[in-house]
Amino acid sequence: MKLHFEPNLDYQMQAIEAVCDLFRGQEICRTEFTVTMPALSFDKQDTGHGIGNRLTLLDDELLKNLNDVQLRGALPPSSSLTSGDFTVEMETGTGKTYVYLRTIFELNKRYGFTKFVIVVPSVAIKEGVYKTLQITEEHFKGLYAGAPFDYFLYDSGKPGPVRNFATSSNIQIMVVTVGAINKKDVNNLYKESEKTGGERPIDLIKATRPIIIVDEPQSVDGGLEGRGKEALDAMTPLCTLRYSATHVDKHHMVFRLDAVDAYERKLVKQIEVASATVEDAHNKPFVRLLKVENKRGRISAKVELDVATASGVQRQEVLGVQDSDDLEQFAKRPIYADFRVGEINTAKGEEFMELRYPGGEVFLKLGEAHADVDALAVQREMIRRTIREHLDKEMRLRPMGIKVLSLFFIDAVDKYRQYDVDGQPVKGVYAQMFEEEYRRAAKLPAYQSLFAEIDLASAVEEVHNGYFSIDKKGGWTDTAENNAGNRENAERAYNLIMKEKEKLLSFGTPLKFIFSHSALKEGWDNPNVFQICTLRDIQTERERRQTIGRGLRLCVNQDGERVRGFEVNTLTVVATENYEQFAENLQKEIEKDTGIRFGIVEQHQFAAIAVTGADGHAAPLGIEHSKALWEHLKAAGHIDAKGKVQDSLKTALKNGTLELPPEFDVQKAQIAEVLRKVSGRLDIKNADERRQVPLRKGKDGKAVYLSDEFKALWDRIKHQTTYRVQFDNAKLVTDCIAALQKAPVIAKARLQWRKADISIGKAGVAATEKVGAATVVLDEADIELPDLLTDLQDRTQLTRRTIVNILTGSGRLDDFKRNPQQFIELTAETINRCKRLALVDGIKYQKLGDQHVYAQELFEKEELTGYLKNMLLDTQKSIYEHVVYDSIIERDFADGLEKNDAIKLYAKLPGWFKVPTPLGSYNPDWAVLVEEEDGTQHLYFVVETKSSLFTDDLRDKESAKIECGKAHFAALGTGENPTRYVVARSVGELLADVVKE
């Protein structure tokens, strides 16, 4: 396959123009210098001519060009030229390498510059750049009339090509890693060499005044020991062009295509997350170390524990644990008995926390956990899910000529490949799991068309392979590029990867699943990676962007042509992090890495908006006008002092009521569009709609609540009551046994899969759940069973004998072994529910004296407020002008009351009207006065509106309170024509109750 390159992508051309326009006004020229020639004999030396770059522009001319470029790109302007460094920010996957290589040819064409040094942080990127130079060579010669150019990888052991770099008049491109130039006492670059005529290679490079291009400067500047920037300056460059998606230092920004722009313009793949979260696995004393810190001598740690809460056991972060702390006190669970914090080490790179427990101790590093579920069980499910996602996409994309690749990031090489005593490779546990799961998936009916003519016995080994650093013996190893030997190991691996970059895209190559440790970071991007599975903990490595960056590029077909559109280009990240957390943490990383501030209006935000002058030519609005517009928005309360978007701006944009100074009327639509992108989706807080609800007045001007009709209704329901309960212990045990037998099946610990689309906009990163949820059971074999009786006694306040009777009678003790924690929670909840119902079954209400009533005057004293979204406005029969409702059922019921002729008047009972119950106070919904057709008789009702009339459909506590309500109003109904208590779904059902009477 031959990859095709698109020469006219607008955003790439804008990035190239931005750099080239820095030198507008520069004449085509070069400088010449003397170079010592290699000696033919020991007594004579010849000299030759070197050719270098030359800059004729003055600093203030460069600054003016820079400001013009920044204004065009709506970037904050530089007030002075503090260095020769210029920044280009391009999101991963948008063709950064292509852009800076083409910039080289454009700078040569316009200004005659010929000497370029590309500095990269790692062997991976070096090989990637070299590969791109190879596959674009023909493309660039076609675009630039066959302009001759040479390129080479700098090899410290072979400095000879550096002399040709200095003396050739052709375009010269040298690619070098920072590790080869940032140690003056070690690197050959700084040593005299016969191969360069006795001169130091660095002196030859310096004399050419090269234009340095830094790929991933945030990794280069620091270098291995903080000397990277120093090494760049030692080359005395004409200028330094810095390209990355994640700049730390933004020197003179000239172009920006950030993560938000790339996503909104669909220049990268849509991202979705298949999140695997473990549920109901609280049967062990789980502890994860999240952070250690030393604040003014106070050493502490942040850990994650399974904490007992009112709603059950929840995995929560616990701050500030210190040496000797008892974790049982934090978790409030006996399973953590005698688990104590030991030594905490905060030294950078060596952080750990000692965890002491009966019979042992363990030292947890950051991100590590004790007593977690079986990691391999979770990882098997992740491998299985990745294979299924892969095959699903293959079914859809193969007919379009698109090969699907999947990438696994693993935590250790030996989990994928090991070596026996004879040095022969042996499959690690991940490789074994993969092959088992791949064979299983191949037998599924849904994928038979993919395996119709394939010999699965051989194919299962051919479809996966690992890319790791390779040692001199040919074995795979974990290494960092921290010395020459390790860099050589890495080089061997990357040579293999880069040579096969195009082959991997071909259907003719069976390899589809790639396992890697650290090899595939920056520098390796294959456009057809559609799944990325992180079998290591992504949460602790600040690497979401790094990880998804390996699969962001738009895919290509078998002809090497780019295929566009989110319907084809969706990257699925399989991770052990729920999708809401993934989206939130991805947004934090984008903010930290790029400086993007979501939901913030910058002062220069409007500078690039086009304004047509009197002569018909378009020009940018400019920085000063942009600042004036920003100040107007701030004065109007649409943004705060930091530029953060306020709800009033969102409302104005939604309603089309945004007001701007008259001079911006012509650009109003463009300005509103910029603000709409920054503001994101409208999410108006209810506080903006809060209103006081006044009491309604009748035709006579008197408040309706003071009318004789309402007084007659109120007198029947205003009395307060007290209650007593008769309790039958034997019946409680019987009911508990029956309820426990009917209770849901106890599930084992399980892995819950959920899938969500991740959308990146100027307002932030949002996650939207989609179809794809599934549940997988995990087997926990090493659970220590807790003290069942003591735990249940604490939760239910029943005696041990009563609990034993309930448990043995239920016949469900085997479920305790399946999932102890869930069994305890279910049993306690069931018993407590039966206790509540038992209380209600035996309840008796008694009316208190006439002095214990809800006074009618409370309607005027107690202010009623509500929100416009939840109001039925301008009522005619309610005692209030508007009805505040809590649900659709209540809204429809109020509407029905208004429209039915039989309803004389009604009140939505305020929150202060309460009926006491053993389960807490109960607030009924409605008081209603019904007038019969002949108008001779009034009927009085208290109505509870529910979506279902069946008690089984209501929550136990809710239905129990309704029973208490019935008993309360029955106790009040002693006089003539008493109030009746009714549960109804509609006004029709209420009136049907009247007919029954």
Side-chain angles (χ1 to χ4, degrees):
M1 181 196 292
K2 190 174 181 181
L3 290 173
H4 291 261
F5 293 91
E6 299 167 282
N8 298 312
L9 294 176
D10 58 351
Y11 65 93
Q12 293 185 344
M13 294 308 298
Q14 288 162 11
I16 294 164
E17 288 290 330
V19 171
C20 291
D21 284 351
L22 284 171
F23 304 101
R24 188 182 291 132
Q26 161 80 16
E27 61 189 59
I28 294 180
C29 63
R30 67 187 189 188
T31 186
E32 294 188 356
F33 55 91
T34 302
V35 176
T36 304
M37 302 288 285
L40 298 177
S41 62
F42 290 103
D43 59 352
K44 186 171 90 173
Q45 282 190 325
D46 289 333
T47 60
H49 290 289
I51 297 172
N53 299 325
R54 184 179 170 199
L55 183 66
T56 60
L57 293 178
L58 301 174
D59 279 2
D60 56 352
E61 292 175 303
L62 260 179
L63 180 60
K64 184 182 184 306
N65 287 343
L66 171 63
N67 288 156
D68 289 344
V69 168
Q70 291 170 328
L71 178 60
R72 190 170 72 208
L75 298 167
S78 300
S79 57
S80 62
L81 199 66
T82 54
S83 71
D85 296 272
F86 302 97
T87 296
V88 176
E89 182 176 316
M90 293 186 72
E91 175 63 2
T92 302
T94 57
K96 165 171 57 77
T97 307
Y98 175 88
V99 164
Y100 68 64
L101 291 180
R102 184 162 173 185
T103 300
I104 288 173
F105 290 93
E106 198 65 34
L107 287 170
N108 173 260
K109 176 183 172 183
R110 297 189 191 187
Y111 311 116
F113 298 141
T114 57
K115 304 302 165 75
F116 300 87
V117 177
I118 301 173
V119 183
V120 300
S122 65
V123 175
I125 298 182
K126 184 178 79 167
E127 294 295 338
V129 172
Y130 191 66
K131 179 67 177 179
T132 305
L133 279 164
Q134 290 176 320
I135 61 181
T136 56
E137 186 169 349
E138 192 177 316
H139 171 78
F140 286 137
K141 283 183 176 176
L143 287 176
Y144 293 93
F149 68 98
D150 303 311
Y151 56 90
F152 67 100
L153 298 178
Y154 172 74
D155 184 341
S156 59
K158 301 173 184 176
V162 175
R163 189 184 175 284
N164 184 61
F165 174 88
T167 58
S168 173
S169 60
N170 295 339
I171 298 172
Q172 294 292 309
I173 305 170
M174 179 172 85
V175 186
V176 59
T177 60
V178 68
I181 65 171
N182 66 353
K183 292 182 180 177
K184 289 186 178 181
D185 54 339
V186 174
N187 296 142
N188 290 337
L189 187 76
Y190 302 96
K191 297 176 182 178
E192 294 177 356
S193 169
E194 290 183 8
K195 295 175 183 177
T196 54
E199 297 195 51
R200 300 188 309 164
I202 186 64
D203 293 330
L204 292 176
I205 295 170
K206 284 166 65 173
T208 67
R209 294 290 313 280
I211 291 177
I212 295 179
I213 293 170
V214 186
D215 196 330
E216 306 296 347
Q218 73 281 1
S219 300
V220 167
D221 285 353
L224 296 176
E225 292 185 36
R227 298 183 185 141
K229 188 73 169 70
E230 186 182 328
L232 298 180
D233 294 339
M235 295 187 195
T236 60
L238 182 141
C239 70
T240 303
L241 306 176
R242 305 158 68 81
Y243 291 80
S244 178
T246 54
H247 290 278
V248 173
D249 299 310
K250 295 180 171 63
H251 305 269
H252 306 135
M253 179 83 74
V254 296
F255 180 78
R256 186 175 204 179
L257 179 72
D258 59 34
V260 175
D261 297 323
Y263 188 88
E264 289 183 340
R265 295 170 66 175
K266 299 187 177 180
L267 305 178
V268 292
K269 287 193 181 88
Q270 154 84 43
I271 306 164
E272 67 176 18
V273 178
S275 65
T277 52
V278 178
E279 297 184 352
D280 289 333
H282 306 304
N283 299 304
K284 303 177 193 172
F286 171 85
V287 182
R288 184 193 299 278
L289 178 62
L290 300 177
K291 183 181 179 182
V292 295
E293 60 184 3
N294 184 344
K295 280 190 176 179
R296 297 174 185 171
R298 182 182 183 273
I299 296 175
S300 64
K302 179 165 76 170
V303 297
E304 199 173 29
L305 306 175
D306 288 342
V307 179
T309 70
S311 56
V313 177
Q314 303 286 335
R315 190 154 290 180
Q316 294 183 349
E317 292 181 0
V318 177
L319 300 170
V321 300
Q322 295 180 277
D323 193 345
S324 302
D325 277 354
D326 182 356
L327 294 183
E328 186 179 5
Q329 301 300 314
F330 294 95
K332 303 179 181 65
R333 298 178 62 212
I335 200 169
Y336 284 92
D338 297 322
F339 271 72
R340 293 186 177 276
V341 176
E343 180 186 354
I344 299 172
N345 187 356
T346 60
K348 192 166 184 178
E350 301 175 5
E351 300 94 335
F352 69 79
M353 181 189 81
E354 180 187 12
L355 179 66
R356 299 171 184 161
Y357 52 89
E361 64 181 5
V362 63
F363 291 88
L364 298 178
K365 296 179 181 177
L366 290 178
E368 288 185 346
H370 170 75
D372 203 353
V373 296
D374 181 8
L376 288 179
V378 175
Q379 287 158 344
R380 176 182 286 277
E381 295 301 330
M382 294 177 74
I383 290 171
R384 179 184 298 168
R385 179 61 178 259
T386 304
I387 292 170
R388 301 283 176 87
E389 293 282 351
H390 178 108
L391 296 178
D392 286 341
K393 285 210 182 80
E394 201 168 304
M395 292 282 289
R396 191 159 50 87
L397 300 182
R398 190 179 176 89
M400 300 168 64
I402 298 169
K403 182 179 176 184
V404 177
L405 299 175
S406 292
L407 185 55
F408 292 93
F409 283 109
I410 68 174
D411 44 0
V413 173
D414 60 8
K415 288 188 178 178
Y416 181 74
R417 182 66 48 84
Q418 299 175 355
Y419 296 90
D420 62 19
V421 290
D422 298 322
Q424 297 301 309
V426 179
K427 291 170 189 170
V429 63
Y430 288 158
Q432 293 172 28
M433 281 183 187
F434 174 85
E435 293 189 1
E436 290 165 8
E437 295 302 330
Y438 192 76
R439 287 192 189 93
R440 180 184 295 182
K443 294 175 184 176
L444 295 173
Y447 307 126
Q448 286 312 294
S449 61
L450 295 176
F451 296 96
E453 300 175 4
I454 290 177
D455 176 16
L456 199 57
S458 60
V460 73
E461 294 189 344
E462 293 173 346
V463 296
H464 70 103
N465 207 341
Y467 285 128
F468 307 100
S469 293
I470 304 171
D471 62 25
K472 289 183 178 178
K473 298 177 183 176
W476 289 345
T477 179
D478 294 331
T479 62
E481 293 178 34
N482 54 2
N483 58 51
N486 284 344
R487 282 197 294 276
E488 285 177 19
N489 290 344
E491 194 112 27
R492 280 183 282 270
Y494 301 133
N495 278 332
L496 178 64
I497 296 170
M498 296 309 165
K499 285 174 184 172
E500 295 196 347
K501 186 170 183 177
E502 291 161 283
K503 279 174 65 178
L504 274 176
L505 296 170
S506 168
F507 286 145
T509 302
L511 178 61
K512 302 174 185 177
F513 296 88
I514 300 160
F515 286 78
S516 177
H517 179 238
S518 58
L520 306 184
K521 288 190 176 180
E522 310 111 320
W524 192 90
D525 300 280
N526 194 298
N528 286 25
V529 170
F530 284 91
Q531 286 73 229
I532 292 178
C533 177
T534 54
L535 295 174
R536 60 187 185 192
D537 189 357
I538 195 172
Q539 298 180 58
T540 62
E541 300 183 39
R542 304 287 305 157
E543 61 170 14
R544 283 163 203 81
R545 296 194 73 219
Q546 179 88 313
T547 300
I548 64 177
R550 309 289 62 82
L552 278 183
R553 294 184 186 279
L554 299 181
C555 66
V556 298
N557 60 21
Q558 291 302 289
D559 297 322
E561 297 166 339
R562 197 77 62 187
V563 182
R564 301 187 180 279
F566 279 174
E567 64 278 3
V568 172
N569 290 283
T570 298
L571 172 67
T572 304
V573 181
V574 181
T576 54
E577 183 178 23
N578 75 47
Y579 66 81
E580 296 95 343
Q581 285 178 329
F582 188 95
E584 181 183 342
N585 290 327
L586 178 60
Q587 176 166 322
K588 287 178 183 175
E589 284 189 28
I590 291 173
E591 287 178 327
K592 181 177 179 182
D593 290 344
T594 68
I596 293 174
R597 297 191 296 163
F598 291 103
I600 299 289
V601 180
E602 304 280 4
Q603 289 194 348
H604 61 270
Q605 199 91 42
F606 314 101
I609 288 176
V611 179
T612 304
D615 58 359
H617 289 94
L621 184 64
I623 293 294
E624 292 309 314
H625 284 101
S626 181
K627 286 182 178 177
L629 191 50
W630 189 91
E631 290 293 345
H632 168 80
L633 293 171
K634 179 185 166 190
H638 292 327
I639 57 176
D640 66 12
K642 294 183 179 178
K644 187 170 180 61
V645 171
Q646 304 298 296
D647 283 338
S648 63
L649 176 59
K650 297 180 181 181
T651 307
L653 289 170
K654 183 186 179 188
N655 298 334
T657 57
L658 178 66
E659 292 187 5
L660 298 175
E663 61 266 31
F664 298 112
D665 280 348
V666 178
Q667 293 81 38
K668 187 171 182 177
Q670 292 170 275
I671 293 167
E673 186 57 33
V674 169
L675 290 171
R676 198 168 281 113
K677 279 190 175 181
V678 176
S679 302
R681 293 180 295 278
L682 181 67
D683 183 21
I684 302 174
K685 292 178 182 175
N686 285 337
D688 293 342
E689 301 182 340
R690 193 174 182 86
R691 297 287 186 274
Q692 184 176 345
V693 183
L695 290 158
R696 189 169 65 86
K697 293 181 179 179
K699 292 177 182 178
D700 57 0
K702 182 180 175 183
V704 174
Y705 85 98
L706 296 174
S707 65
D708 293 339
E709 288 94 342
F710 186 74
K711 185 175 186 304
L713 171 59
W714 192 250
D715 284 344
R716 286 166 168 78
I717 66 172
K718 67 182 181 183
H719 290 276
Q720 297 176 6
T721 59
T722 185
Y723 64 84
R724 54 190 172 84
V725 176
Q726 295 175 335
F727 201 78
D728 186 337
N729 194 59
K731 186 175 183 300
L732 173 63
V733 172
T734 305
D735 289 347
C736 287
I737 290 171
L740 202 51
Q741 288 171 338
K742 293 177 186 175
V745 174
I746 295 289
K748 286 189 173 183
R750 59 195 180 278
L751 196 69
Q752 178 66 47
W753 284 105
R754 295 165 78 197
K755 204 170 184 182
D757 284 329
I758 303 294
S759 56
I760 304 172
K762 286 188 168 58
V765 179
T768 308
E769 190 164 7
K770 59 193 287 189
V771 174
T775 303
V776 180
V777 172
L778 299 173
D779 191 20
E780 292 184 289
D782 55 344
I783 300 171
E784 288 185 22
L785 298 179
D787 185 340
L788 175 61
L789 293 180
T790 301
D791 208 328
L792 286 177
Q793 194 174 13
D794 291 340
R795 291 168 183 252
T796 65
Q797 281 74 53
L798 295 182
T799 64
R800 294 172 77 91
R801 175 179 292 180
T802 301
I803 293 170
V804 168
N805 290 339
I806 293 170
L807 293 176
T808 53
S810 72
R812 295 196 60 174
L813 276 170
D814 282 344
D815 283 346
F816 175 55
K817 299 173 187 173
R818 287 169 59 83
N819 194 325
Q821 190 62 44
Q822 196 184 6
F823 180 80
I824 289 170
E825 290 183 9
L826 180 72
T827 303
E829 184 183 340
T830 301
I831 292 173
N832 285 330
R833 186 170 66 239
C834 290
K835 278 176 62 183
R836 288 196 294 268
L837 295 176
L839 290 171
V840 172
D841 285 345
I843 198 162
K844 300 290 181 187
Y845 278 88
Q846 184 176 346
K847 185 167 81 170
L848 297 172
D850 288 340
Q851 71 273 26
H852 296 285
V853 296
Y854 286 111
Q856 211 164 334
E857 291 74 28
L858 283 171
F859 281 100
E860 189 165 11
K861 289 181 180 175
E862 297 287 340
E863 181 182 284
L864 177 66
T865 59
Y867 301 102
L868 292 176
K869 280 184 178 178
N870 290 14
M871 278 190 202
L872 186 70
L873 301 175
D874 302 323
T875 62
Q876 301 301 312
K877 296 180 180 180
S878 168
I879 66 167
Y880 289 101
E881 288 188 9
H882 316 302
V883 173
V884 180
Y885 55 82
D886 298 324
S887 65
I888 301 298
I889 291 291
E890 288 188 0
R891 182 199 65 190
D892 293 345
F893 190 81
D895 191 49
L897 291 171
E898 286 289 325
K899 293 174 178 174
N900 197 293
D901 292 339
I903 307 302
K904 180 75 173 173
L905 62 80
Y906 68 93
K908 178 76 165 61
L909 290 170
W912 47 261
F913 185 88
K914 295 174 180 175
V915 175
T917 82
L919 311 174
S921 298
Y922 163 56
N923 173 220
D925 288 334
W926 311 91
V928 182
L929 171 58
V930 178
E931 187 175 67
E932 293 201 332
E933 283 187 31
D934 57 7
T936 57
Q937 187 175 1
H938 289 165
L939 301 174
Y940 306 97
F941 290 89
V942 172
V943 185
E944 182 70 29
T945 42
K946 293 297 171 195
S947 58
S948 172
L949 300 183
F950 296 101
T951 305
D952 288 350
D953 293 339
L954 303 175
R955 293 186 296 274
D956 290 298
K957 195 170 182 179
E958 195 175 354
S959 61
K961 284 187 174 183
I962 288 173
E963 291 302 316
C964 291
K966 287 179 183 176
H968 165 83
F969 288 107
L972 299 185
T974 54
E976 184 183 342
N977 192 11
T979 300
R980 283 171 270 180
Y981 180 84
V982 176
V983 180
R985 290 174 297 187
S986 65
V987 174
E989 285 184 356
L990 167 63
L991 297 178
D993 206 79
V994 173
V995 174
K996 276 191 249 174
E997 296 294 328

